[in-house]
Amino acid sequence: GQLRDGDELIVVDNASADGTPDAVRGLAPGAVVVEPGSNLGFSAGCDAGVERASGELLLLLNPDATVAPGFRDAIERPLAEGRGWAAWMGLVTAQAGRVINTEGGVVHFTGIAWAGGAGRRIEGSVDRPTPGAVGFASGACLAIPRGTWESVGGLPRPFFLYHEDVDLSLRVRLSGGVVGIEPAAEVDHEYEFEKGPGKWRFMERNRGATLLRTYPGALLALLVPALAVTELALLPISVASGWGRQKLLAWADLVRWLPRLLRERREIQARRSVSAGEFAAALTAELSSPYLGRTAAVAPLRWALRAYWSLVLGLLRAPGPAASPGTSPDSSPP
């Protein structure tokens, strides 16, 4: 009901069996319904929808997200006002708008990423976030100009599900773009974190793939010890939590994907226009997600992560391979 003349509504049906295509045609006769005939996954499904779009501004919206009044105009505001953002998200709520689902994603330097502000109650206007930059924009409600989408290559289709929005946002940042949030564009998301152990295979595989594809060489080299320790620590945690087999399958997937990932890495890094230090500035050493459990709150671990990250940032800003912010990208090999 909020769409204007000339707006396009495109629905991609990933081989559902509940009559979704007919329901869409009945409710929105003007919609374009894309039926690939199989479940392409979220990434490839979004890419298939974008291929049918012709507008200047693309909006990815989850099927379980309900837009609030005024959403249509608000989500276009960063473009209309000329803020210069390369991609942005709306405010994603849950429980009928009572709590935050995400007010902007957070990316730890190990590649672990989560929904910022998840579970925080919204009591009034004072508790709502303000427009600004975020670590990554949620794919549940993501707006991006077509030119940006095409220049960074869209979503990574082989990911199938999870972490694709992190990968896209980091590639936008590699190009020097700002990823933001426009809280006036609100959607309510019917969200559940637990979706079975199989989810962890996708999350861990795609986290590793994102690290290999997007992290500049100088940063990746400095993080090798931390990433190795993270993998060793996650194995017993995954076994104790019931998804040990999924963790091993994620490792196997990455080994199988490695030739392609290295090829994609060379292409992505060749387009990079920021230094390793500038890219790293948007990452964090804090493990503040409520989904990470009590381990993340252990004081010695927090101190160690902060000290390590401070050292990495200091080295990236030092003269040498990594340029200081505002200068040309570092000359380290991709």
Side-chain angles (χ1 to χ4, degrees):
Q2 298 182 38
L3 297 180
R4 300 176 186 171
D5 291 342
D7 288 349
E8 297 172 310
L9 177 61
I10 301 170
V11 179
V12 180
D13 182 70
N14 269 348
S16 66
D18 59 0
T20 289
D22 291 337
V24 171
R25 293 186 180 101
L27 292 167
V32 174
V33 181
V34 180
E35 297 181 81
S38 61
N39 185 359
L40 302 179
F42 182 77
S43 294
C46 288
D47 285 351
V50 168
E51 288 174 356
R52 298 292 298 273
S54 62
E56 178 185 1
L57 180 63
L58 306 170
L59 171 67
L60 309 184
L61 192 66
N62 270 20
D64 55 356
T66 304
V67 302
F71 173 85
R72 160 65 180 81
D73 292 339
I75 197 64
E76 189 185 34
R77 194 170 298 158
L79 180 64
E81 293 181 351
R83 295 181 192 171
W85 292 355
W88 59 93
M89 58 178 285
L91 174 62
V92 185
T93 64
Q95 300 178 25
R98 292 189 294 272
V99 302
I100 298 288
N101 179 202
T102 176
E103 58 185 5
V106 182
V107 187
H108 192 263
F109 65 75
T110 58
I112 298 171
W114 60 89
R120 183 169 63 81
R121 296 195 67 82
I122 305 175
E123 303 295 343
S125 59
V126 70
D127 300 303
R128 301 175 66 84
T130 56
V134 297
F136 72 91
S138 169
C141 175
L142 186 146
I144 182 170
R146 171 178 293 280
T148 305
W149 175 277
E150 293 176 348
S151 68
V152 300
L155 294 178
R157 295 191 175 205
F159 279 25
F160 191 79
L161 193 63
Y162 299 121
H163 225 82
E164 64 287 305
D165 47 8
V166 181
D167 187 280
L168 174 65
S169 296
L170 293 182
R171 280 182 283 127
V172 168
R173 289 206 67 253
L174 284 171
S175 70
V178 174
V179 180
I181 180 174
E182 174 46 73
E186 185 175 321
V187 300
D188 198 65
H189 190 198
E190 196 172 324
Y191 178 78
E192 292 182 5
F193 181 79
E194 296 295 341
K195 293 182 174 66
K199 173 180 179 177
W200 293 99
R201 177 181 182 179
F202 292 126
M203 291 181 66
E204 284 297 283
R205 177 191 69 191
N206 297 345
R207 176 176 69 88
T210 296
L211 287 167
L212 286 171
R213 282 161 48 91
T214 66
Y215 275 35
L219 174 61
L220 202 55
L222 291 171
L223 289 179
V224 166
L227 296 176
V229 170
T230 299
E231 292 305 300
L232 292 175
L234 281 174
L235 188 57
I237 291 173
S238 67
V239 171
S241 302
W243 51 277
R245 180 173 181 273
Q246 304 301 325
K247 180 60 179 171
L248 294 176
L249 288 172
W251 281 349
D253 288 341
L254 285 171
V255 170
R256 189 173 66 253
W257 282 8
L258 191 58
R260 174 177 57 78
L261 291 175
L262 293 177
R263 185 170 62 252
E264 292 170 349
R265 172 179 177 76
R266 287 191 291 270
E267 296 170 355
I268 291 168
Q269 296 301 318
R271 298 192 297 266
R272 176 162 61 92
S273 62
V274 298
S275 70
E278 289 172 310
F279 176 85
L283 307 178
T284 183
E286 305 299 324
L287 291 172
S288 58
S289 171
Y291 301 114
L292 295 176
R294 290 176 294 180
T295 302
V298 176
L301 175 61
R302 293 203 312 271
W303 299 333
L305 290 172
R306 290 171 185 171
Y308 187 95
W309 188 232
S310 294
L311 176 62
V312 168
L313 291 178
L315 291 171
L316 289 175
R317 291 174 183 144
S324 60
T327 62
S328 60
D330 67 60
S331 57
S332 59

